[in-house]
Amino acid sequence: MDDDRVSLPRRARMLAWRARVAAVRNRLVRPVGERQAFAAGRRALRVLLVGSGPVVGWGVGSHDLALPGGLARALAAATDRGAVVDVVPHPSAGVRRLGRLLDAAGPERYDAVVLSATIPDAIRMAEPARWETHLRSLLTRAHTAERTVIWLGAQPIRSIRSYDSAAGAIAQEHAERLNAIARRVCRETGTHFVPLGAPPRGDSGRHRTPADYLFWARQIADVLAPALQEHAVRRADPAVDASDRVGAIERLKLSGRRGDARLDEIVGTAKRTLGTDIAMFTVLDDQKEWPLASTGSVLQSIPIEQSACIHTIQTADGMVVPNAVEDGRFAGSSLVTGPAGLRYYAGYPVEAPDGTRIGALCVFGRSPREREEGEADLDVLRELALLAQRELWRWSPDS
């Protein structure tokens, strides 16, 4: 094979094999449900996975068992921080499609972006010179903000049982060529290249297993964790525009929603676990805040000017008010000075599927608390808020 083109005979030989590969993939289990996984911990890192290959999760039924879940757990173990990993999978995405997927995902919200697209392009026998041009353009765009960017090299294609054939050997040879190009382009663009190895073969006979994804997740975390620590990445909290919230609420059709048993259970757990007087899952449009679920309160809505959650959704990691009478933002509120007599507040933001912060899981108490106790409460609220967020996403027309 020369340096500039893939021979026509090889292209022709691969056409029939590509059809067989497509037939195999159509029979495989793929993750369903929320395209997110998380691991407990403070100052949670946010990572975006985009693309094809191992990002898709072939062979397992949830993203918790696939690469997002494995990476969240591996990062948390390596950094002593929490991790939230969102995923935008596309079964056949090559490098040309990846740019559109990345832009649509809103990469400015993330500490790191992990991209994968080599295997479909290797199977399609993508022209190396053109592939390099597209890859360089993509990685340059991915670096337009301060974030860590990782490119995943193709794992050995013949390590996939159903692809272990003579045609698979041709695809693997081409993947190795694309990997060599990617390694060089990554070096030149400041991108981290992670060459995924072949997972140890078990006896299950399955296409891929949770153990395979954890194996790759650890390889990625070995590169990603020190890169994030070296650059001490802290993303700026984007301004939360009221019109964006209104649009996200309309898409989820939340204005008429009431009485979800799962949300009621999560809110009840927050109140019992944290020992507060009130717990709510709130939504905020441009004028008011109202609860989708609550316990300990009969409040229907409040003007947004009186909302504590409006301040919470301006943060990435939640907010604590140990004693509202000592906080100038809330000391004059009727919820503090009036019969409710609220003093303590803790809340963690909840996002719509597009990343817009539209509400919060929050608790209120009539007695003040120490800030250290409030920070510990945030650890609980974070995990419950992410569960509430998953429930909310089930209501999305696109879910």
Side-chain angles (χ1 to χ4, degrees):
M1 200 183 309
D2 61 34
D3 290 336
D4 297 317
R5 65 187 62 188
V6 179
S7 65
L8 289 177
R10 286 201 171 198
R11 287 183 181 277
R13 194 182 311 172
M14 296 298 289
L15 287 176
W17 184 71
R18 285 168 55 185
R20 289 195 295 272
V21 165
V24 168
R25 293 196 318 182
N26 288 337
R27 296 194 298 268
L28 292 176
V29 172
R30 281 169 50 192
V32 296
E34 298 76 13
R35 294 178 175 183
Q36 184 184 79
F38 60 87
R42 299 189 183 186
R43 298 182 299 119
L45 296 163
R46 297 205 62 165
V47 178
L48 176 65
L49 297 174
V50 184
S52 51
V55 169
V56 175
W58 301 108
V60 298
S62 81
H63 288 296
D64 284 321
L65 297 176
L67 192 60
L71 183 56
R73 294 187 290 274
L75 269 180
T79 63
D80 291 325
R81 295 174 62 175
V84 178
V85 180
D86 292 330
V87 57
V88 181
H90 191 291
S92 60
V95 69
R96 294 183 66 178
R97 185 184 292 269
L98 228 54
R100 296 192 294 275
L101 296 175
L102 180 62
D103 291 343
E108 64 278 356
R109 298 184 285 130
Y110 297 92
D111 297 310
V113 171
V114 180
L115 303 168
S116 173
T118 306
I119 287 182
D121 282 339
I123 292 173
R124 285 191 285 260
M125 305 298 284
E127 198 71 43
R130 293 179 182 173
W131 193 82
E132 177 177 348
T133 299
H134 293 307
L135 177 63
R136 189 180 301 278
S137 174
L138 170 67
L139 296 182
T140 300
R141 289 166 61 189
H143 280 284
T144 55
E146 281 297 322
R147 72 174 67 90
T148 299
V149 180
I150 283 182
W151 179 263
L152 299 184
Q155 73 270 28
I157 289 178
R158 296 189 69 178
S159 70
I160 305 171
R161 293 178 185 275
S162 52
Y163 298 177
D164 189 5
S165 63
I170 295 174
Q172 181 166 312
E173 179 184 346
H174 197 61
E176 291 169 355
R177 187 177 189 187
L178 298 183
N179 277 348
I181 293 171
R183 189 186 297 271
R184 172 167 48 81
V185 174
C186 285
R187 185 170 59 249
E188 294 169 357
T189 58
T191 304
H192 297 270
F193 179 82
V194 177
L196 297 182
R201 279 197 171 183
D203 298 325
S204 70
R206 295 176 60 185
H207 183 87
R208 288 298 184 205
T209 69
D212 295 335
Y213 290 109
L214 183 57
F215 174 81
W216 285 323
R218 287 170 175 162
Q219 292 183 332
I220 298 169
D222 284 345
V223 175
L224 184 53
L228 290 172
Q229 291 170 343
E230 177 184 352
H231 293 97
V233 173
R234 291 301 300 161
R235 63 192 176 279
D237 289 336
V240 182
D241 187 86
S243 62
D244 292 338
R245 294 200 307 272
V246 170
I249 290 168
E250 288 178 350
R251 288 191 292 275
L252 289 167
K253 304 186 187 312
L254 298 184
S255 297
R257 294 272 185 174
R258 292 293 186 275
D260 183 272
R262 293 185 182 91
L263 289 182
D264 289 340
E265 181 179 351
I266 292 170
V267 167
T269 298
K271 181 177 182 291
R272 292 190 303 271
T273 303
L274 301 182
T276 58
D277 297 292
I278 298 169
M280 293 183 175
F281 177 62
T282 66
V283 174
L284 299 86
D285 59 19
D286 57 340
Q287 297 181 6
K288 65 183 183 301
E289 171 189 321
W290 72 95
L292 284 181
S294 68
T295 180
S297 172
V298 294
L299 190 68
Q300 296 301 308
S301 68
I302 59 172
I304 206 162
E305 295 80 10
Q306 298 181 29
S307 169
C309 293
I310 191 64
H311 300 279
T312 293
I313 66 173
Q314 302 294 334
T315 74
D317 297 314
M319 183 183 77
V320 173
V321 180
N323 190 348
V325 299
E326 298 175 354
D327 191 310
R329 295 171 296 179
F330 311 114
S333 168
S334 61
L335 297 175
V336 176
T337 62
L342 300 181
R343 296 292 182 268
Y344 173 70
Y345 169 88
Y348 195 85
V350 171
E351 299 177 351
D354 66 357
T356 303
R357 296 179 195 149
I358 59 171
L361 183 67
C362 59
V363 292
F364 298 85
R366 295 188 173 89
S367 300
R369 295 188 178 186
E370 297 297 325
R371 177 163 292 279
E372 292 76 11
E373 186 178 2
E375 293 293 335
D377 288 349
L378 276 184
D379 289 342
V380 177
L381 282 177
R382 178 185 301 108
E383 309 314 311
L384 293 176
L386 290 170
L387 291 175
Q389 183 170 285
R390 286 189 171 193
E391 174 60 24
L392 187 73
W393 290 6
R394 291 177 61 249
W395 299 352
S396 172
D398 298 325
S399 65

